Amino acid sequence: MNSEHLTHHRRTEAWLSLALDAARAYAWEWCCGTGDMSWSAKAHQLFGAERGCPATFDGFLERVHPADRDHVEHAMIAATSLGLPCDMECRILGDGQIERWVRAKSAVRTHDQPIKIIGVLADITALHDAERARRALARRLTRAHEQERTRLSRELHDDVSQQLLVACIGCDELRRQLTNGSQGIREKIDILSGQIRDVAITLQRVSHELHPALIRQVGFERALRALCSDIGRTERLSVECDFTNSGPAIDDDVALGLYRITQEALRNALKHSRAVQASVSLAGDGDQIALSIVDNGVGFRPRTRGDGDSLGLLSMRERARLMNGQLNLISSPGAGTRVEVLVPTLPTKMPEWA
Amino acid sequence: MRHLALHRGAAGSMDGGSPTGPDRQNKPRILLVDDYPGLVMAFSRVLAPFFDIVGHVADGAEVVSAVSRLRPDVVLLDVNLPEVGGLECCRRVKAMRPATTVIMLTAVDDEAVRDRALTLGASAFVAKHSAVDELVSTIQRALTP
């Protein structure tokens, strides 16, 4: 190697070192034949190992979070036996058993068979913390949103619309007290009474949309069926229901979450997909409930990983997550939209930070 | 703001226009169940010429004991009560005293609620925004053997 090459080599090494530092990434290498492993000095620090302490795969595996160990071991077996590269996330229990999230990326050098694996572990703990904080915030926002809707709904139902109903009854009383010769006034009272009634009915509908008390009154399935038939009656969307035993007991929050997702999906089918037909299916096995809402509208190209979703889609995803469930959105231009949700019937309570 | 303080949980007789004396004995006895006092008073006023309003209850949990004590012919029951809902009250009343006629009152005329109420033994289902004549005739029809 001439001096020019040496300079270039040193410069590249310096850049690599800077890049690893900037990315909080730690290098390692594993020789498939001998099983020998080497860690960079910084990797020793990450693992809480003394400098000079021999680096072994078992030593590495011991420092992987117990819940992620099988996953990591399988990835390494796939790399050493099949030469497959790896790109995964796992937790490392470093110095003082402090948990760090790392992204493990490796490549395999082969010569007929895998001979060496080189890799880096990038510390992504800050990213995970930020994601957890984002989820916790989304969870609180969803809860606050629901509480506010409930409050508004009660205000409208318990106060404003009841006062209007009292006014209606007052009009009826007034009308009864009129003498026979007051036909003109009677008609005016009837018109006034009708107008007040219409406002009261509209307010009750708004109140019901804000918070579906129907779930508590008649149960989740009936309430969902009523939502579908209401939309079918008032909008140009024919909604079919196919409910197959959603299980005997559905948690109240799960019921409300699934109701809201259905409401949002049908609203999107009408507003954005311009669908004329939709179907809502609900099936449960006691442990899990599967909900799907399918429309025959214009469809769209969903964004990957939910980035850039509209507020409605984001809210559906967050609601599914809030129930410890999953939501899949399947759509393409011209081919309608399918929203699939799978949630546990009785979700274990998620901690605030999760 | 909710106006529950005046009557919540209380089952008492109404004196707002309710007739007294022998007339009362000939009129069907009605127990009103609604958590909005303004509406209870308004219903009491307009129904008093036709029925004997024996009491009112604002809390679903009090309905069964009020029925047991006041022995009304008809319970006019709001669907949307806090805590113990109107449909559950209907079930309890019919289970305890099947001869009592239960008429559900609702702010939203919903088919699912209507079906459920009738299944639970309610005799009729009336929207709160119905005209007084309709309410009176519904009660009278429900009482006709």
Side-chain angles (χ1 to χ4, degrees), chain A residues 59-244:
Chain A
F60 164 68
L61 214 52
E62 269 173 27
R63 288 167 171 90
V64 173
H65 192 287
D68 299 339
R69 244 171 238 165
D70 281 353
H71 189 34
V72 170
E73 203 167 3
H74 286 146
M76 289 305 277
I77 290 169
T80 51
S81 57
L82 303 169
L84 295 177
C86 155
D87 188 353
M88 62 185 291
E89 290 181 7
C90 66
R91 284 159 290 178
I92 297 288
L93 297 172
D95 199 10
Q97 295 289 296
I98 292 170
E99 187 181 296
R100 313 286 307 169
W101 273 96
V102 293
R103 180 175 175 190
K105 196 167 167 60
S106 67
V108 185
R109 285 185 184 166
T110 55
H111 189 267
D112 292 335
Q113 57 181 352
I115 51 168
K116 195 169 275 186
I117 305 170
I118 56 166
V120 286
L121 299 172
D123 189 335
I124 53 168
T125 309
L127 198 65
H128 265 261
D129 287 349
E131 176 59 15
R132 279 201 307 207
R134 189 198 67 77
R135 284 189 188 180
L137 181 63
R139 200 182 305 279
R140 282 202 290 272
L141 275 175
T142 306
R143 283 197 185 124
H145 186 211
E146 204 55 64
Q147 281 165 0
E148 186 57 12
R149 288 176 74 133
T150 306
R151 190 191 65 78
L152 272 173
S153 167
R154 286 202 178 129
E155 197 95 339
L156 287 177
H157 175 270
D158 296 348
D159 199 56
V160 184
S161 62
Q162 305 285 358
Q163 286 184 40
L164 288 172
L165 291 170
V166 172
C168 268
I169 295 171
C171 285
D172 267 16
E173 283 181 285
L174 199 59
R175 188 179 177 279
R176 284 164 180 280
Q177 286 163 12
L178 288 173
T179 55
N180 288 337
S182 317
Q183 187 58 28
I185 297 174
R186 185 171 285 130
E187 280 168 8
K188 281 180 183 161
I189 290 175
D190 283 345
I191 291 169
L192 182 64
S193 170
Q195 286 168 341
I196 297 172
R197 259 187 197 103
D198 288 346
V199 176
I201 292 168
T202 305
L203 274 182
Q204 285 298 343
R205 284 209 185 112
V206 172
S207 162
H208 179 66
E209 270 180 32
L210 283 168
H211 181 74
L214 210 56
I215 296 175
R216 185 173 67 92
Q217 290 166 348
V218 297
F220 170 60
E221 278 196 28
R222 284 198 182 95
L224 202 61
R225 222 178 263 281
L227 169 71
C228 296
S229 77
D230 275 358
I231 288 182
R233 201 168 40 236
T234 55
E235 310 282 353
R236 283 185 187 169
L237 181 68
S238 155
V239 188
E240 271 182 31
C241 294
D242 176 15
F243 298 167
T244 321

Side-chain angles (χ1 to χ4, degrees), chain B residues 24-120:
Chain B
R24 286 186 73 165
Q25 289 166 7
N26 301 326
K27 292 179 179 175
R29 295 161 60 78
I30 288 190
L31 173 69
L32 287 171
V33 185
D34 198 298
D35 64 334
Y36 188 70
L39 211 54
V40 169
M41 288 171 76
F43 278 135
S44 300
R45 273 199 318 273
V46 294
L47 294 177
F50 311 94
F51 308 104
D52 178 11
I53 313 296
V54 294
H56 61 273
V57 174
D59 187 337
E62 305 282 331
V63 174
V64 168
S65 63
V67 168
S68 170
R69 186 159 34 89
L70 299 167
R71 304 179 75 80
D73 301 304
V74 178
V75 178
L76 212 50
L77 186 56
D78 181 23
V79 168
N80 201 15
L81 291 170
E83 309 303 332
V84 183
L87 292 170
E88 174 57 19
C89 289
C90 172
R91 192 191 64 74
R92 291 182 189 181
V93 168
K94 294 304 281 188
M96 185 199 67
R97 201 163 172 260
T100 310
T101 297
V102 176
I103 294 175
M104 303 302 296
L105 279 171
T106 179
V108 182
D109 187 4
D110 191 281
E111 206 178 314
V113 178
R114 180 189 293 262
D115 290 349
R116 185 82 187 124
L118 297 179
T119 307
L120 290 171

Side-chain angles (χ1 to χ4, degrees), chain A residues 181-327:
Chain A
S182 317
Q183 187 58 28
I185 297 174
R186 185 171 285 130
E187 280 168 8
K188 281 180 183 161
I189 290 175
D190 283 345
I191 291 169
L192 182 64
S193 170
Q195 286 168 341
I196 297 172
R197 259 187 197 103
D198 288 346
V199 176
I201 292 168
T202 305
L203 274 182
Q204 285 298 343
R205 284 209 185 112
V206 172
S207 162
H208 179 66
E209 270 180 32
L210 283 168
H211 181 74
L214 210 56
I215 296 175
R216 185 173 67 92
Q217 290 166 348
V218 297
F220 170 60
E221 278 196 28
R222 284 198 182 95
L224 202 61
R225 222 178 263 281
L227 169 71
C228 296
S229 77
D230 275 358
I231 288 182
R233 201 168 40 236
T234 55
E235 310 282 353
R236 283 185 187 169
L237 181 68
S238 155
V239 188
E240 271 182 31
C241 294
D242 176 15
F243 298 167
T244 321
N245 184 28
S246 61
I250 297 183
D251 179 90
D252 287 350
D253 288 342
V254 174
L256 183 60
L258 292 177
Y259 186 94
R260 289 290 191 219
I261 288 174
T262 310
Q263 204 173 26
E264 184 63 36
L266 291 177
R267 198 177 290 150
N268 286 344
L270 266 168
K271 197 172 160 189
H272 303 298
S273 292
R274 301 195 295 280
V276 289
Q277 277 184 323
S279 65
V280 177
S281 312
L282 191 70
D285 63 3
D287 294 329
Q288 287 189 309
I289 305 172
L291 167 75
S292 74
I293 305 108
V294 183
D295 73 55
N296 71 342
V298 295
F300 68 107
R301 207 178 299 283
R303 310 266 165 82
T304 52
R305 299 170 68 94
D307 296 338
D309 275 348
S310 70
L311 199 59
L313 293 180
L314 264 180
S315 137
M316 287 200 288
R317 286 190 199 281
E318 287 303 335
R319 281 188 187 280
R321 225 192 305 258
L322 203 64
M323 297 183 275
N324 291 351
Q326 292 175 329
L327 182 141

